[in-house]
Amino acid sequence: MFNLIKLGLPKSKTFGVGLLVSVLQGLSAVALLATSAWLISRAAEHPPVMYLMIAVVGVRGFALGRSAFRYAERIFLHDAAFRMLSTTRPRIFRKLIPFAPAGLGFESRGDILTKIGADTDSLQNLPLRVIAPLVQAGVVALLTVLGVAVLLPSAAIIFLLTVLTAAFIALPISSAVSKQAERKQADTLAKHASKSLDYMEHLDILVAYGWIDSALRELKKIDEVSLVHAKQKALSAGVGQALFSITATLATIGTSYFGAQSVSQGSQPGVMLAVFVLVPLALFDVFLTLQPVMNSWRIYKASAMRISEIETRNIPDVLKPGFGTKTLSGFTSLELNDISIAYPTGGAVLDRVSFKLSAGETLAITGPSGSGKSTLALALVRFLSLQSGSYLINGKLVDEYSEDSIHRTIGLVEQNPNVFLGNVRDNLLLAKQDATDAEIWKVLQKVGLHEIFSLRQGLTTELGDRGVLISGGEAQRLALARALLADFSVIILDEPTANVDQIYGFQLVSELLTAAKEESNRAIVLITHDSNLSSLANQQISL
Amino acid sequence: MVALATLGTSATVVFAWQLSALVTKIFILGNSIGDVYFQLMTISIAGLVKAAVIWAQELLSSRAATSVKIELRSKFYLAIKTLRSGWLNNQSAAELNLLATTGLDSLDSYFAKFLPQLVYAVLVTPLLVILIWLQDAASGVALVATLPLIPVFMILIGWATNNAQEKQLDSLTRLTQHFLEVLRGLTTLRIFGRAEVQVKTITSASEQYRVRTMKVLRITFLSGFALELLSSLSVALIAVSIGLRLVNDEISLLVGLFVLILAPEVYLPVRQVGAQFHAAAEGVTASKKVLDILDLASEVSRAGASNNPDYEGLDCDFEAGKLTVITGPSGIGKSTIFRNLLGLDSPVQSQKLHLVSWMPQQASLLSGTVLQNILGFDSSFNEPAVENKALVLAMQMAALDDLQLQDQVGVDASQVSGGQAQRISLARAFYRALTLGTPYLLLDEPISAIDSVRASVVVTSLKSFAANGTAVAVISHQEQLIRAAERVIEVADV
């Protein structure tokens, strides 16, 4: 719990200032009403106007303070939250580097990483929507109750009780009930979304098979279920709010009763009665900011738990391949002798694999899915260490070379190549920071993208979020262009046909291989589940 | 809604009046606690009524939101049915789906948050102003003078904010995306040895984001500031003026306190309308888009009045009892031949669908079980699968031998292989042809993803359909099918 809170807690001074200002804001709101009440009551006693002047100034000052502090509070708190993110984001990123991709789980790693990113960003919920309202409501309530207690202890007790009831019973009740209702509603929403998408995407089938009316009936049925859930949710939200309103009334009744009693007995001056009567209203107004706290905390907690799991994760040995200091320059051959690899999640995936690949050769690695082809690819680029066996480059053990020089020599074109948001040039410069436009056009030409992009906006053609503006085949070609620009001596193509129509797969791969070999003595490793494609290589192993 | 608002407001007024009366009785008139029991009681009752109104309002508005949503939604689906694929093909299904789901869901905040506040602003605010005016004209004047400033301020500031935001928006979105982008591409960055460098880039992009966002927020938060300032200064103004007039006995304490308690309630709904405006706008935009599509659909259905069912046959020369194969280069529009025969793209209802069992080029499976995909979701089929002879036969003929009926196919057939999806789609068409005895069986690339052993089972099945008198037409490139055809139509470049 403590560690969870620490994760999203801003350490900047701005946050402290923000909290202080936030408390001042709440106090101003209470003071505004209290001073106004006192002013009016005192005026009713017809004193000389000059006795009222301080209160007049106070009323104006608190009114100004209430809004000015609110503005400052929001600015300071947001600034503090963003500062926290500026330090958390790079920390999480650095922690994740050795885990990508093998240590992240098997399915859609990009999605997992995006989720981690969203989780990191959701840490700002803690300072903005949990701590700040809690501190504000807590301190203001404490000071207000104390203030009343000094003057009127009997009223303070009932006041305190109602405040506690509101904070610890009314708000949690509505939150607890709505949690359940929300979960049910989320299930229904997901079901509805998938049915609705089916309806839009497969309308032809529904029409041609005469199923459209039953599809519509089903959609309506799900919608009606969601109506029930919405009612339940509204019911619980309503219960919470109503309960809150009742405690506010109780507080008012309590302070009014004891206030009236003490004034009529003469133990309190009459001018204070209006103050006792109105202060609870002002305080409960401040309390309204507590309403979303539980919900925000739930959101934060879920994200923070996942993030803290990442932060405390140890890097398993298999993800820590050894590197030396020797610089690898030039490539003649690569050799695996009886290598075995255990995946981070346990169990040997690759068992005693051997092959030799020399410059200029193409090796096809085939096998059904799950046979460890991609694992082998990750081992070749040294993202994974070997459990046994040896891996030699140019006849020397791979551990002797520096990480940097290995990554300059051996490159991988991933199964789902990552296209970054931005244009063609942005995506290619990644491979070579100082590449000229001419160099970029040259590799684009080799992979057959020259024409497509010159018909669009050239190197400034936007590729869209996750490359939505280009096809799967184009993304493969772009990824190869990137690898060519980086001028790797060994290129590993991992399932280059995964996102391409089967009919075009063969053609694409043979074009990619031609492009990769052109004007160079590159070695290629082609990983594929499609044994037809292995005819394009001059040697083959199957796993 | 209006009745509730009125009831709630009455409770608020009683609450305020009795609080003031209580203070006046004790403080000015010197009554004892026993004389204000009535006040304490009515305050409690008014408080309870207020709570009940809050609760009822929440229920009512959520019910209104959901029923409007459900109605709009079902009309929207019907409109899409009317507009048909010809229109749908030019739209993004994902976008339309978003509109139908989250788009219309945002009507919730319109009905649950915006509308009630609007009712309050239109109904309650004037009512309270009149009430206050009757009690104390000076305060009434102050309220009337300041209230209109709220919308004016909001519009002015909203305009300024928009300007500031639009200028920043593009660069801000990029900076927001930056962290997610580099995370998603972490493996790629590692491959190119660029991962470590990104740690610094992330820090600087985040800092840049902070600085620029704060610049925008400083302006954005101004609107909230102005609203708060306006309402709290007005309340302060009213309080001070009441105080000064009380000294000169121009007003009673009872009225003074009453106005003081009520004044913030006057501003509240107007401020809330402003606060909820953006959330509400989303729902309104979505429903407007939906209504546009509904209009389009009703125009289309007026234009194309339906004709009587046509039992004559299809407008084509696929012969009964024969296996016809259509070949030709891809992209020449072979699939369109089938689609036009079925009238799938034309908004006018085709009356010939009952004659045809059709299999589209993409497997087009619905998310659900294999069984549901073959029989449809509404089937009252409860008996064990082995007893449905047509089903067993259809699956045999489609060589669907490696899946259980209860297996899930997943969204867009993501849980089955391409070949399996194609064979489920085939079984679906076969089952329809077997049970309804449709005279036509139109299959678009039925064996392109099926291994050769199973493909030959399918080819035999097609022949047996033809032998039983069905007109079987198949679009295919596969040698295996072309060889089996009794007639081959070559579609050449037009």
Side-chain angles (χ1 to χ4, degrees), chain A residues 46 91 130 338 365 419 423 435 448 472 479 521 531:
Chain A
H46 310 301
R91 197 176 69 228
V130 178
D338 277 345
I365 299 176
V419 177
N423 58 33
N521 203 23
S531 46

Side-chain angles (χ1 to χ4, degrees), chain A residues 253-457:
Chain A
I253 297 282
T255 53
S256 299
Y257 176 80
F258 288 110
Q261 196 180 41
S262 68
V263 167
S264 62
Q265 286 165 358
S267 55
Q268 279 289 328
V271 281
M272 288 309 291
L273 182 55
V275 178
F276 294 136
V277 169
L278 292 189
V279 155
L281 290 181
L283 182 64
F284 275 80
D285 235 16
V286 173
F287 263 47
L288 280 179
T289 53
L290 284 180
Q291 242 168 13
V293 164
M294 290 287 278
N295 204 22
S296 304
W297 167 250
R298 271 207 302 269
I299 296 170
Y300 170 80
K301 195 173 148 198
S303 296
M305 272 163 77
R306 289 189 288 260
I307 295 290
S308 113
E309 188 272 320
I310 289 167
E311 291 225 83
T312 52
R313 216 184 262 182
N314 290 318
I315 307 172
D317 286 338
V318 65
L319 294 179
K320 282 192 286 196
F323 291 102
T325 49
K326 227 177 253 173
T327 301
L328 171 61
S329 53
F331 173 81
T332 52
S333 73
L334 177 160
E335 196 176 341
L336 295 186
N337 296 313
D338 277 345
I339 63 147
S340 299
I341 298 167
Y343 220 67
T345 38
V349 175
L350 279 180
D351 197 21
R352 302 164 68 84
V353 176
S354 306
F355 66 77
K356 185 172 179 184
L357 176 72
S358 301
E361 289 181 336
T362 301
L363 167 75
I365 299 176
T366 58
S369 55
S371 59
K373 301 188 299 291
S374 294
T375 308
L376 184 56
L378 296 177
L380 287 175
V381 292
R382 301 291 284 154
F383 287 173
L384 292 174
S385 65
L386 308 180
Q387 198 180 34
S388 64
S390 62
Y391 175 4
L392 307 167
I393 296 180
N394 298 351
K396 289 206 176 78
L397 275 178
V398 75
D399 313 38
E400 295 178 19
Y401 298 113
S402 72
E403 181 168 12
D404 196 42
S405 65
I406 296 261
H407 285 156
R408 269 197 316 251
T409 310
I410 306 175
L412 169 66
V413 176
E414 299 156 271
Q415 182 169 348
N416 294 302
N418 192 65
V419 177
F420 290 90
L421 185 67
N423 58 33
V424 177
R425 190 189 281 116
D426 299 336
N427 267 281
L428 282 166
L429 284 184
L430 174 73
K432 190 179 176 194
Q433 295 296 294
D434 51 358
T436 62
D437 281 6
E439 283 176 277
I440 295 176
W441 277 117
K442 195 177 164 197
V443 292
L444 287 178
Q445 174 111 49
K446 280 187 182 173
V447 298
L449 288 175
H450 184 270
E451 204 170 322
I452 294 166
F453 290 137
S454 53
L455 282 176
R456 299 186 201 168
Q457 289 91 46

Side-chain angles (χ1 to χ4, degrees), chain B residues 397-411:
Chain B
M397 293 179 90
L400 188 57
D401 49 14
D402 52 349
L403 280 174
Q404 301 297 313
L405 284 170
Q406 294 307 329
D407 286 344
Q408 292 287 337
V409 304
V411 177

Side-chain angles (χ1 to χ4, degrees), chain A residues 36 39-41 43 45-47 52 56 59-60 63-64 66-68 70-71 74-75 78-79 82-83 86 89-90 93-94 96-98 100-101 113-114 117-118 120 189 192-205 207-209 211-214 216-219 223 227 231 234-235 238-239 241-242 245-246 249 252-253 257 260-261 263-264 270-271 273 277-278 383 407 412 414 418-421 430-431 433 462 466 482 486 488, chain B residues 15 19 23 26-27 31-33 37 40 43-44 47-48 51 54-55 58-59 62-63 66 70 73 76-78 80-81 84-85 88 93 96-97 100-101 105 174 177 179-192 194-196 198-199 202-203 206-207 209-210 213-214 217-218 221-222 225 228-229 232-233 236 239-240 242-244 246-247 249 253 260-261 339 353 358 360 364-367 373-378 412 428-429 432:
Chain A
S36 305
L39 169 68
I40 291 180
S41 303
E45 294 179 327
H46 310 301
L52 296 177
V56 168
V59 168
R60 289 181 185 149
L64 191 67
R66 194 177 87 157
S67 24
R70 174 96 186 99
Y71 179 75
R74 291 169 86 179
I75 294 288
H78 276 87
D79 190 67
F82 290 144
R83 275 177 203 273
S86 297
R89 283 171 171 166
F93 184 82
R94 186 189 289 276
L96 283 171
I97 292 176
L113 286 164
T114 313
T120 312
L189 282 181
H192 183 267
S194 96
K195 287 280 168 205
S196 172
L197 190 63
D198 262 354
Y199 180 80
M200 314 253 187
E201 281 189 336
H202 306 309
L203 189 66
D204 286 344
I205 285 296
V207 169
Y209 281 75
W211 293 349
I212 197 148
D213 291 325
S214 70
L216 284 172
R217 267 200 303 279
E218 213 187 348
L219 276 168
D223 237 357
L227 179 76
K231 261 188 225 158
L235 199 75
V239 165
Q241 284 176 24
S245 164
I246 289 174
T249 306
T252 307
I253 297 282
Y257 176 80
Q261 196 180 41
V263 167
S264 62
V271 281
L273 182 55
V277 169
L278 292 189
F383 287 173
H407 285 156
L412 169 66
E414 299 156 271
N418 192 65
V419 177
F420 290 90
L421 185 67
L430 174 73
Q433 295 296 294
E462 288 291 328
R466 301 167 191 227
R482 222 156 37 188
F488 296 127
Chain B
F15 193 85
L19 273 185
V23 173
I26 303 276
F27 173 38
N31 287 357
S32 75
I33 185 81
Y37 281 147
L40 285 173
I43 291 168
S44 316
L48 282 177
I54 290 173
W55 185 69
E58 188 77 27
L59 278 191
S62 99
R63 185 169 308 185
T66 331
I70 289 183
R73 223 177 240 159
F76 181 61
Y77 290 130
L78 278 176
I80 287 180
K81 177 188 166 191
R84 308 295 283 279
S85 299
L88 201 58
L96 281 177
N97 190 37
T101 52
D105 278 338
R174 285 229 165 170
Q177 288 284 328
F179 178 54
L180 297 183
E181 277 284 309
V182 291
L183 260 184
R184 189 162 54 80
L186 180 53
T187 310
T188 311
L189 292 167
R190 276 192 88 189
I191 290 169
F192 290 98
R194 310 273 320 149
E196 289 288 341
Q198 292 298 327
V199 176
I202 291 171
T203 314
S206 299
E207 275 301 286
Y209 173 73
R210 178 181 69 81
T213 311
M214 290 314 298
L217 286 185
R218 267 182 215 118
F221 291 157
L222 265 187
F225 171 64
E228 285 232 22
L229 187 67
S232 56
L233 274 187
V240 169
I242 290 173
L244 295 181
L246 262 169
V247 177
D249 255 343
L253 178 66
L260 179 72
I261 298 172
R339 299 184 65 85
L353 290 169
W358 168 67
S364 268
L365 299 186
L366 307 167
S367 56
N373 266 287
I374 299 175
L375 265 60
F377 281 77
D378 209 24
D412 278 326
R428 177 170 63 187
R432 179 174 161 90

